[in-house]
Amino acid sequence: DVQLQASGGGLVQAGGSLRLSCAASGFTFEDYAIGWFREVPGSEREPISCITNDGRIFSHDFLKGRFTISRDTNKNTAYLQMNSLKPGDSAVYYCAASADRTWMDYDPCGLYYGADYQGKGTQVTVSS
């Protein structure tokens, strides 16, 4: 079975940090680009940072270097290190995986439901 599971969310004060993990199983992780998405109530689920299978990174400018995506092929896991968190970062965070090279033609990557696999989300709440 294919599984893609985001974890690591929680409640943190503004200025704090969290590291999200996206654990993959059931497919060849090294062949897939990974994207991190977030969704706030009333808004669309948007991509925020994505990494290709060979490690190239694309992130939204609004992150301004606060978030860093990475991947560990040995652990079949991708990460999103989030620093200097703001209340506006509160959202449900999701990860998705795609082997379609055109998925990475978009900035920072394609749509969540356009990926081959989607994972359940993890809630991040940043208090002021």
Side-chain angles (χ1 to χ4, degrees):
D1 283 354
V2 169
Q3 291 193 4
L4 201 61
Q5 180 64 58
S7 62
L11 174 64
V12 63
Q13 288 188 332
S17 298
L18 284 173
R19 188 176 80 157
L20 305 184
S21 299
C22 174
S25 61
F27 61 95
T28 306
F29 181 75
E30 64 186 15
D31 290 341
Y32 285 73
I34 303 295
W36 280 101
F37 299 74
R38 71 182 185 186
E39 182 177 350
V40 298
S43 298
E44 294 183 354
R45 193 169 300 179
E46 61 174 347
I48 57 171
S49 191
C50 307
I51 185 168
T52 65
N53 66 317
D54 59 355
R56 287 173 292 133
I57 292 171
F58 302 87
S59 299
H60 260 306
D61 288 342
F62 69 75
L63 296 180
K64 295 184 179 179
R66 297 186 298 120
F67 293 7
T68 303
I69 191 172
S70 62
R71 62 190 296 159
D72 186 336
T73 300
N74 291 329
K75 296 182 178 179
N76 285 355
T77 302
Y79 303 96
L80 186 67
Q81 177 66 44
M82 305 189 296
N83 299 327
S84 302
L85 283 161
K86 306 174 181 179
D89 295 320
S90 297
V92 180
Y93 285 72
Y94 300 84
C95 59
S98 178
D100 183 351
R101 296 298 180 260
T102 65
W103 193 68
M104 292 302 301
D105 285 347
Y106 302 90
D107 186 13
C109 59
L111 298 176
Y112 176 80
Y113 290 108
D116 294 301
Y117 304 119
Q118 296 85 20
K120 294 182 180 179
T122 185
Q123 176 72 49
V124 171
T125 303
V126 185
S127 63
S128 57

